[in-house]
Amino acid sequence: DGDGDGEVRLHFSIVDSGIGIAEEKLATIFDAFAQADGSVTRKYGGTGLGLTISARLAEILGGRIWVESQPGRGSTFHFSVRFGVDPQTTRQLPQLPGTRVLVVVDHPVGRQVVARTLESAGARVSTVDSGKAALALFAARSSAVDVVLLDGSLPGIDARTLAGQLRSTAGGAATPLVIMVAQSTPGDRERYRDLEMAIVLGKPLTGEDLLLSLARALDGGPARRPTRPGNLPATPESRPRAVLLVDDNAINQQLTTALLERRGHRVTVAENGLAAVERMRTGRFDVVLMDMMMPVMDGLEATRRIRAAELAGGKRRSPIIAMTANAMPGDRESCLAAGMDDYLSKPIRGEELQHLLVKHGTAGDAELHQGTAEVEASTGFDYAAAVAKADQETVALIAVAFLESSASDLETIRRGIANADRRSVASTAAALHGTLDIFGARPAVRLAHRLEQQSAYGDPPEMALLADQLAEQIDCLRRALKSLTDTPSAP
């Protein structure tokens, strides 16, 4: 919502299909260390600070946070924040006042999003959910249409066939078409070449992509997609990487290899997890793309063995990105628990793949071996200075709570190591990692992160050593925080 004074208020909502929250608990869940059920912390982990920090951040940003929930049916969290609008950087998008657009999309959410985008530009939008309905509308000539926006993956009919049928109707012969396909390639444009005034638009797309393409279609212009970061000239951040591709499917190998080589990367292929373990033993790669489901050895087991070998040999940690065709609840958690660094859903999209390579491809050179955290921890890090540089409002909000809870968190980690409860170690170390990062406590952050990584595959004695080192660094942080909290407030 805009208010005319150079600011806008944005409203976000996040749907959680989890256990839900009882009505009598809704008023307190944004308080520090308050949860709807104490067993939740024991079962799922967490410090109980996340919602408190989120509420405070929303307030600082001129908004608020609230929740709607029913036990057993999940929750919807809402928050609103205010942002300034810089008139110097605001791009003027094409406007379509009065333009009659027919949207043919079967997915209800996608259809609604597209319609809202077009309506915001002044278009008059009609929507149908199938090719059959679109053909019936044109055959009946019930309403004139200036341009048709057509989903390329409608059920029951090929988009090329539907486009041809629309062209054969009296009302559709001269109507511009914009066809959205899952992945736009030169071959897609060849398929629609004989359809005059047709633009092929590749997904995923933004509102800007959509409006610019419709404007070009109405102007009879060429099908030219806006420049994206993946199409920009090479930069140091997008330098070629050595990539190990682990996938047993020949077609997937060809597709992913083509996407990588098109961007200048060097690709080595391993046909299963066992072959990948051997490749990693004899070679060095900037990034590993690991399929989840493979014969001989799956991606999770291969990752565990690679991480164990890195640990035993003191090698640097190579980024491993999971690839899976069936994104199921818990998949991402399983990947991270096995030691993977990120997650990529199939079908693979070139821009998303490049983004992850840029994100993780530079991390390998900077990733330190096992002893790095210990070295950094022993160099006399100035925790008081780090806390002074952190956001003071957030520090004031959570300092006392951290002082009260950190000892029990460390005890939970030590007990988890002794009892081989790796899930407990991982969740508690992850929660500490996030809280320590707020204070800028770099040595402690690195140790907590290392402990979180080793919880899936590390040896208990090594994990115990890390826990002791983490405790030493947390003691240093606690002393810095105590001096802060013990300082009398100015009158």
Side-chain angles (χ1 to χ4, degrees):
D1 296 331
D3 54 14
D5 62 355
E7 290 190 338
V8 294
R9 182 177 66 87
L10 300 184
H11 174 195
F12 301 83
S13 61
I14 302 94
V15 178
D16 175 15
S17 58
I19 59 177
I21 305 167
E23 183 176 359
E24 62 271 16
K25 301 290 186 179
L26 293 177
T28 62
I29 64 168
F30 294 105
D31 297 339
F33 294 95
Q35 290 193 341
D37 182 352
S39 65
V40 170
T41 300
R42 293 192 298 272
K43 184 174 181 180
Y44 299 107
T47 63
L49 293 172
L51 288 176
T52 303
I53 295 171
S54 298
R56 188 62 184 133
L57 288 174
E59 181 181 340
I60 292 171
L61 292 171
R64 65 189 186 97
I65 190 170
W66 69 100
V67 61
E68 300 167 348
S69 184
Q70 293 184 28
R73 300 187 63 180
S75 310
T76 300
F77 288 82
H78 303 265
F79 70 94
S80 64
V81 291
R82 299 187 68 82
F83 294 97
V85 178
D86 185 351
Q88 300 300 318
T89 59
T90 301
R91 295 189 60 176
Q92 295 298 317
L93 296 179
Q95 296 300 297
L96 307 170
T99 302
R100 297 163 296 187
V101 184
L102 174 62
V103 175
V104 189
V105 176
D106 67 302
H107 194 284
V109 175
R111 191 167 60 247
Q112 185 182 50
V113 169
V114 169
R116 286 181 176 176
T117 301
L118 298 177
E119 288 170 346
S120 70
R124 294 162 51 191
V125 181
S126 302
T127 63
V128 294
D129 60 2
S130 67
K132 183 178 179 180
L135 289 170
L137 187 148
F138 270 85
R141 301 185 185 180
S142 56
S143 61
V145 173
D146 296 316
V147 61
V148 177
L149 183 63
L150 174 64
D151 191 351
S153 55
L154 290 168
I157 187 169
D158 176 71
R160 173 65 181 80
T161 302
L162 176 59
Q165 291 177 359
L166 288 173
R167 277 282 183 261
S168 67
T169 65
T175 302
L177 300 176
V178 175
I179 305 168
M180 302 178 293
V181 298
Q183 189 168 356
S184 178
T185 67
D188 290 323
R189 295 182 178 87
E190 291 295 327
R191 292 185 64 216
Y192 299 99
R193 181 179 291 254
D194 62 320
L195 296 173
E196 295 182 2
M197 300 169 60
I199 286 180
V200 179
L201 184 60
K203 300 177 185 177
L205 53 90
T206 65
E208 179 181 1
D209 294 342
L210 188 59
L211 294 175
L212 287 171
S213 296
L214 284 173
R216 286 194 295 273
L218 290 166
D219 291 340
R224 183 172 52 84
R225 192 165 185 188
T227 299
R228 291 292 192 87
N231 300 326
L232 294 176
T235 65
E237 291 75 21
S238 61
R239 65 172 177 80
R241 267 85 177 177
V243 180
L244 176 62
L245 171 62
V246 190
D247 199 316
D248 64 302
N249 185 281
I251 295 177
N252 289 340
Q253 290 175 3
Q254 293 175 14
L255 170 62
T256 309
T257 298
L259 291 173
L260 292 167
E261 291 181 343
R262 184 180 296 174
R263 290 162 173 81
H265 303 300
R266 303 181 303 278
V267 184
T268 301
V269 176
E271 64 277 7
N272 58 59
L274 186 60
V277 173
E278 180 61 24
R279 291 281 190 179
M280 291 295 290
R281 187 180 67 81
T282 58
R284 179 168 179 165
F285 301 92
D286 295 313
V287 177
V288 180
L289 299 177
M290 182 77 72
D291 189 29
M292 292 274 284
M293 304 296 294
M294 293 178 291
V296 183
M297 182 183 293
D298 65 26
L300 294 177
E301 179 60 25
T303 299
R304 294 187 189 101
R305 295 196 184 190
I306 290 170
R307 294 301 185 221
E310 289 172 343
L311 183 64
K315 298 180 179 179
R316 72 169 180 86
R317 191 176 189 276
S318 299
I320 301 179
I321 300 172
M323 301 186 298
T324 180
N326 300 306
M328 301 294 290
D331 276 357
R332 184 179 184 87
E333 290 73 17
S334 298
C335 293
L336 297 179
M340 295 179 174
D341 299 278
D342 220 318
Y343 186 95
L344 188 62
S345 295
K346 295 180 180 178
I348 304 299
R349 294 182 173 87
E351 291 182 10
E352 184 179 5
L353 178 60
Q354 176 67 10
H355 169 74
L356 290 178
L357 290 179
V358 171
K359 176 181 177 182
H360 295 287
T362 56
D365 295 334
E367 183 68 35
L368 303 178
H369 57 75
Q370 182 182 2
T372 300
E374 293 87 331
V375 172
E376 182 183 31
S378 64
T379 57
F381 182 80
D382 191 341
Y383 280 98
V387 171
K389 293 178 182 178
D391 182 82
Q392 294 305 297
E393 193 163 16
T394 304
V395 169
L397 180 66
I398 67 173
V400 174
F402 175 78
L403 289 171
E404 294 173 352
S405 67
S406 55
S408 63
D409 288 339
L410 288 167
E411 179 57 31
T412 298
I413 289 174
R414 289 189 170 112
R415 188 167 56 249
I417 295 172
N419 297 333
D421 185 358
R422 293 178 179 268
R423 184 180 296 274
S424 174
V425 175
S427 62
T428 308
L432 271 174
H433 177 190
T435 305
L436 292 166
D437 201 22
I438 294 173
F439 297 120
R442 288 201 310 274
V445 168
R446 293 188 63 84
L447 286 163
H449 181 52
R450 189 70 185 173
L451 188 57
E452 181 186 357
Q453 292 175 329
Q454 288 209 22
S455 64
Y457 56 86
D459 294 328
E462 297 289 346
M463 295 165 63
L465 177 60
L466 280 176
D468 290 342
Q469 293 168 343
L470 177 60
E472 292 176 5
Q473 297 308 308
I474 286 180
D475 281 343
C476 295
L477 174 61
R478 286 170 59 87
R479 287 193 292 271
L481 290 174
K482 282 182 178 179
S483 66
L484 176 68
T485 56
D486 291 343
T487 301
S489 301

